[in-house]
Structures are given as C-alpha cells and as structure tokens.
Amino acid sequence: MVALLLWKDPQKGQKRIQIEERPLLRTRFLWVEIARSPHPAVRRRRLLAAARRLRKLGVAQVVPPADFSHGAVLEKCGLRITGTLALRRSLAADWVRAGLEAERLPVAGARVAVTASVLTGEVVRTVTELCLRHRYVLLDLPYGGEDLCRQLRREYGVSLLLGPSREQLEGAEALVLFDLRRDLSMANPVVLRLYDETQPLPALSLPPEAEAALPEEADRGRLLAALREAGCLRREDVTAGVGPAKSPEPLQPVSAPVWARPLWKKTGL
C-alpha cells in the first residue's frame, strides 16, 4: 500500500499524527496527516515517528507533500518516495508539444530530436507519437533504429532521420533525452531530460472528476505517478498542458510522407 503524506494545520484536541486508510480514485491509500510546527526539529521528529509507524504497517512507498525536503528522513526508515520516471516518459510527446507552444514555436513543422542508449518500448512509443505529430523527427540510437524506421514507414507512411550529426541534434527545436548526454550543449529551445527527476514537470491536467478528488497539498507529479502505477489512471487521462484532459483523437501523419535519409544507406548495409 502507498502512503500519502500531508502536512496539516494543528487543531486543538487532535493527534499530532493521524493515519487512516481512505480511497482515492478507487485505490486505497494510507493518508498520513502530520501537524505543522514552526520548529524544524519538531517537524523532523514528528515525520520520523510517522515513518516508523508506516514501516510497521508494511508501507514501502510514500507520496510526499509539495516542496518536500525531508527525503533523507524517510529513507532512514526504509521508505522510498514515489518516482516519476515512467510518468515523464509516457508524457514525452505531449510534453514536447506543450514546450513548443510555450516557446511560441510551430508544432507540426518543428524538428524533434530523440536520443537513447537502448531501444525500449518507451522509446518506440515516444518516437512513433512524435512522427505522427511532427514533420521532422531525428533519432540517435546505437542499435535497432533501422527496424523501427521500416516499421513506421510500413504502418504510417512516415520515416525518421537516423544517425543525425551533433549539429543536427543541437539545431532541433526540441531535444528529448532518455539518457544523459555530456557532448551536447542542451541549448535547444525545448529540452526534456527524461532521466532527470529534478527537471520540473509541465502543467498536468486530468479529467474534471479525477481532478476534484486530488488533495492540493500533495506533490502532484508523484501522486499522479502513484495513481498510474496502481492502474487508477490511464495514460491518456494525464495530459501535459492547460485544461482538462480528454480522450485523444486518433493520430494521423502531419503531412504526406517526408522520406528521411535512413542509416543503412549511410553505412552501405
């Protein structure tokens, strides 16, 4: 079970730490409410006591409050804070669109570059969605790109530019990185470091009925990640951008095929 940790204003006659099981979007959470204190030592002592109680209850994962800075206290008790990597990667295509719109750049005609060290399902899904939304997609991948290019050409009539140069990667309007790259300047207008949980997430929208159920005090990104992991939210329920999420229309290629230069022509394969 996942614990949802929240600070609360102290009330006369109430316990400083309250733990109870409550439903949230059809999933059971342990809601942990800790009375705020202006004294850092008191806050830390209450948090430590709550963490120890959670471990005795068998909890291993915690969704913290927004702007939480006491992760070391939870780790000391064997608790981990919910990660957001899977959520970030599932949102990559929407996140690119939101970033381009924020920079007032054209979306369909933008050049979007993707770099990854391994071809995973997340990379395939992201590249496929990007190819259907943007006219120019560049993919820097050591292995497996040729098969993906053939598949996209066969199924959707689109193609990729495989094996782009460093100058081409840095010239793209949007750069999506699944892994750390030290050789790039990261000066693109939009840069998504999908491996880095410290990069702020974009505004995330949900359907109105789901939005109304969320506690405002919780770390929004980590709470949505926990709900997705529990199966409460579908991938299409979470949208990067402003306004309520809705079921997306089927994607179509943005234009007639624009054939890119495949890698096997460069290598003579």
Side-chain angles (χ1 to χ4, degrees):
M1 183 176 292
V2 179
L4 177 58
L5 184 63
L6 303 172
W7 298 113
K8 67 171 185 177
D9 293 328
Q11 301 290 331
K12 187 176 181 179
Q14 288 188 351
K15 296 179 179 180
R16 295 293 182 260
I17 302 172
Q18 296 188 84
I19 301 177
E20 65 175 327
E21 188 176 323
R22 300 184 200 170
L24 178 60
L25 297 182
R26 305 178 303 280
T27 295
R28 307 298 295 182
F29 278 79
L30 278 181
W31 290 58
V32 184
E33 296 181 338
I34 303 176
R36 289 188 180 92
S37 170
H39 306 292
V42 175
R43 290 198 302 269
R44 187 180 186 282
R45 185 166 62 248
R46 291 174 181 173
L47 179 61
L48 187 58
R52 287 170 174 165
R53 288 173 60 180
L54 290 175
R55 282 302 295 155
K56 290 181 179 179
L57 293 171
V59 173
Q61 184 179 164
V62 174
V63 176
D67 301 321
F68 187 68
S69 59
H70 301 284
V73 176
L74 299 181
E75 292 177 4
K76 182 178 179 180
C77 296
L79 300 174
R80 68 177 180 88
I81 294 179
T82 301
T84 62
L85 290 181
L87 175 67
R88 290 169 183 273
R89 291 168 180 170
S90 71
L91 291 169
D94 273 353
W95 196 348
V96 167
R97 172 192 52 76
L100 292 170
E101 291 175 349
E103 295 291 333
R104 299 185 178 181
L105 293 171
V107 175
R111 292 165 297 173
V112 181
V114 180
T115 76
S117 60
V118 179
L119 183 63
T120 65
E122 292 171 325
V123 174
V124 171
R125 183 181 63 243
T126 297
V127 170
T128 301
E129 291 182 356
L130 290 173
C131 282
L132 296 176
R133 299 182 184 197
H134 306 278
R135 190 169 292 115
Y136 308 107
V137 178
L138 298 75
L139 177 61
D140 189 38
L141 184 72
Y143 308 102
E146 300 92 339
D147 292 337
L148 179 57
C149 182
R150 284 194 288 266
Q151 178 183 345
L152 291 175
R153 180 176 178 176
R154 180 175 63 252
E155 295 184 5
Y156 301 108
V158 298
S159 189
L160 300 171
L161 172 61
L162 296 175
S165 66
R166 175 180 173 182
E167 289 74 20
Q168 288 172 316
L169 291 174
E170 295 188 335
E173 283 76 26
L175 176 63
V176 181
L177 302 107
F178 279 83
D179 305 282
L180 176 64
R181 289 286 296 265
R182 299 186 184 278
D183 60 321
L184 300 177
S185 66
M186 306 290 185
N188 309 67
V190 178
V191 177
L192 306 188
R193 303 186 301 274
L194 300 182
Y195 58 87
D196 182 5
E197 292 195 82
T198 65
Q199 182 177 16
L201 284 162
L204 300 178
S205 304
L206 299 178
E209 61 276 11
E211 192 70 59
L214 300 186
E216 295 181 359
E217 303 88 349
D219 183 306
R220 184 176 178 84
R222 297 187 187 279
L223 178 56
L224 297 187
L227 290 169
R228 283 199 68 244
E229 184 178 328
C232 304
L233 293 175
R234 299 170 299 173
R235 192 169 68 89
E236 58 268 26
D237 288 334
V238 185
T239 302
V242 180
K246 59 183 180 180
S247 297
E249 297 180 358
L251 292 172
Q252 299 295 331
V254 297
S255 66
V258 178
W259 304 120
R261 176 165 48 92
L263 182 61
W264 57 85
K265 287 187 178 180
K266 291 175 58 180
T267 58
L269 296 178

